[in-house]
Amino acid sequence: MKILGIESSCDETAASVVENGTEILSNEVASQIDIHTKYGGVVPEVASRAHLEAVYPVIYEAVHKAGVTWDEISAVTVSYGPGLAGSLLVGVSAAKAVAYASGKPLVGINHMEGHIYANWLSGDIPEFPLICLTVSGGHTDLILMTGHGKYKMLGSTRDDAAGEAFDKVARLLGLGYPGGPVIDREAQKGTPCISLPHAVMDDPYSFSFSGIKTHLYRMCENELPASIPDICASFQKSVVDTLVEKTVHAAREYNAKTIILSGGVAANSGLRETIKKESPVRVCMPPRGLCTDNAAMVASAGYFRFINGSRSDLDLDIVPNLVLC
Ligand code: KG4
Ligand code: ZN
């Protein structure tokens, strides 16, 4: 069964055709990173205008490159939240138009569920029950997943999301936007020689990253305490150690069969290496390129929702603060 996925929740306009939730037939992404870099972050109004220009060509390319006809597509799935309102509106409106014109069912997907389902696209299928660490620009969540679409939130961040902390520290160091990939690259050239505080929380699954960030701001106020690679390596290690420790703790506590990673920060090389080393159970993670926003993940999540009977009406609306569980 072939599903068309459409994604436009932040600054990537994407469309993809995925077969049976696991096999990517096409995966088109029009990135706006070059447009937003000069502002040091995503400008919502600029993002929605760029989505408008890209959305139909990207959908056309995805269907064309998959080598399928509209008749072979079983459903149109789209992220309807969480995300930037203007950005979401473009993808949802395009998906509704395409579904109506082709007579296909429409399925609205939570963008964060999409990130989770990127794990079904690597050939290494996760086993339930599993612990999912979702780490993106807006989220840091530890989730227990007991079956398709069955989630229990164990804990999340009390302040900054992990990706947000990477982006803010990169801005502090003048490394540009998005910060995660640059810090990751710099960290590989350095050693974690600065000791940074770990937030002490009153429950085992909550996170806090604003303390590390503020500590670094203070340390760097007059002059840098170490080289850029060493600061990046120290910051990254501190974030990764916290993420891994809590994830492994949850996996033990809930007798998980698998740990999975999702969201943009799941592309981080330190996180990928450390979790594999420390985990008592099998670890699955999406290929790096599928960690950040894409539509293949939306089509995969859409497939599992669709075969379980989920359908959206053509009055599907965006929900910018949509929660998963
Ligand atoms: O999931 P995503 O593409 O968008 C959201 O839904 O937020 O995540 C984007 C976030 C950004 O904060 C970016 O800096 C971070 O993921 N990121 C990384 C890496 N690649 C992207 N953070 C750390 N290391 C990376 N290699
Ligand atoms: Zn995302």
Side-chain angles (χ1 to χ4, degrees):
M1 184 188 289
K2 298 174 182 74
I3 303 285
L4 171 66
I6 298 172
E7 158 63 38
S8 71
S9 62
C10 189
D11 60 344
E12 325 276 4
T13 323
S16 163
V17 179
V18 168
E19 184 150 24
N20 298 330
T22 54
E23 196 192 331
I24 299 177
L25 303 185
S26 64
N27 186 21
E28 291 299 296
V29 183
S31 175
Q32 302 175 10
I33 284 181
D34 292 347
I35 304 175
H36 299 290
T37 299
K38 57 177 173 289
Y39 304 109
V42 178
V43 183
E45 176 62 22
V46 174
S48 33
R49 283 167 195 267
H51 281 305
L52 262 181
E53 281 173 21
V55 72
Y56 286 112
V58 162
I59 294 172
Y60 174 81
E61 275 304 300
V63 174
H64 180 72
K65 287 195 181 154
V68 295
T69 61
W70 281 101
D71 279 349
E72 292 173 79
I73 290 173
S74 300
V76 178
T77 64
V78 63
S79 294
Y80 69 105
L84 301 170
S87 291
L88 288 165
L89 265 176
V90 178
V92 168
S93 306
K96 288 200 250 186
V98 162
Y100 181 70
S102 61
K104 305 293 172 186
L106 177 71
V107 183
I109 290 297
N110 183 309
H111 174 79
M112 301 318 293
E113 181 168 62
H115 274 301
I116 291 173
Y117 274 87
N119 283 281
W120 270 257
L121 294 166
S122 70
D124 187 17
I125 303 294
E127 238 185 307
F128 300 116
L130 60 83
I131 294 292
C132 174
L133 173 69
T134 293
V135 269
S136 71
H139 290 77
T140 303
D141 299 327
L142 256 183
I143 297 165
L144 169 67
M145 194 176 173
T146 50
H148 288 294
K150 294 194 176 122
Y151 306 102
K152 182 179 180 218
M153 181 68 70
L154 302 179
S156 50
T157 181
R158 300 261 178 92
D159 39 59
D160 290 350
E164 190 182 353
F166 270 94
D167 293 337
K168 286 176 176 170
V169 168
R171 198 174 310 149
L172 164 79
L173 298 173
L175 298 177
Y177 170 85
V182 200
I183 292 196
D184 194 353
R185 271 198 305 277
E186 290 295 323
Q188 287 173 41
K189 298 182 253 163
T191 11
C193 55
I194 308 171
S195 107
L196 292 166
H198 281 248
V200 180
M201 311 299 288
D202 51 13
D203 84 89
Y205 304 128
S206 290
F207 300 90
S208 165
F209 296 111
S210 70
I212 311 176
K213 179 199 66 190
T214 312
H215 192 84
L216 262 177
Y217 267 63
R218 293 229 179 86
M219 280 181 118
C220 297
E221 236 160 25
N222 297 321
E223 59 177 312
L224 297 184
S227 68
I228 296 271
D230 285 355
I231 298 175
C232 290
S234 308
F235 166 73
Q236 181 169 296
K237 182 173 186 317
S238 171
V239 172
V240 164
D241 284 353
T242 305
L243 293 173
V244 170
E245 187 197 308
K246 289 177 185 259
T247 308
V248 166
H249 187 282
R252 289 210 168 95
E253 183 86 11
Y254 289 91
N255 289 321
K257 293 207 169 103
T258 327
I259 284 177
I260 67 172
L261 301 182
S262 78
V265 183
N268 184 266
S269 41
L271 175 59
R272 295 170 81 90
E273 271 163 36
T274 315
I275 194 104
K276 270 197 231 151
K277 230 184 282 163
E278 303 291 326
S279 173
V281 297
R282 186 162 73 98
V283 180
C284 297
M285 48 186 88
R288 271 209 165 79
L290 293 179
C291 289
T292 45
D293 291 350
N294 65 84
M297 67 187 202
V298 176
S300 174
Y303 167 79
F304 289 100
R305 286 268 166 205
F306 183 68
I307 60 170
N308 285 315
S310 180
R311 304 287 183 275
S312 301
D313 292 328
L314 284 177
D315 64 358
L316 173 72
D317 205 356
I318 58 157
V319 184
N321 55 358
L322 184 66
V323 291
L324 185 62
C325 50

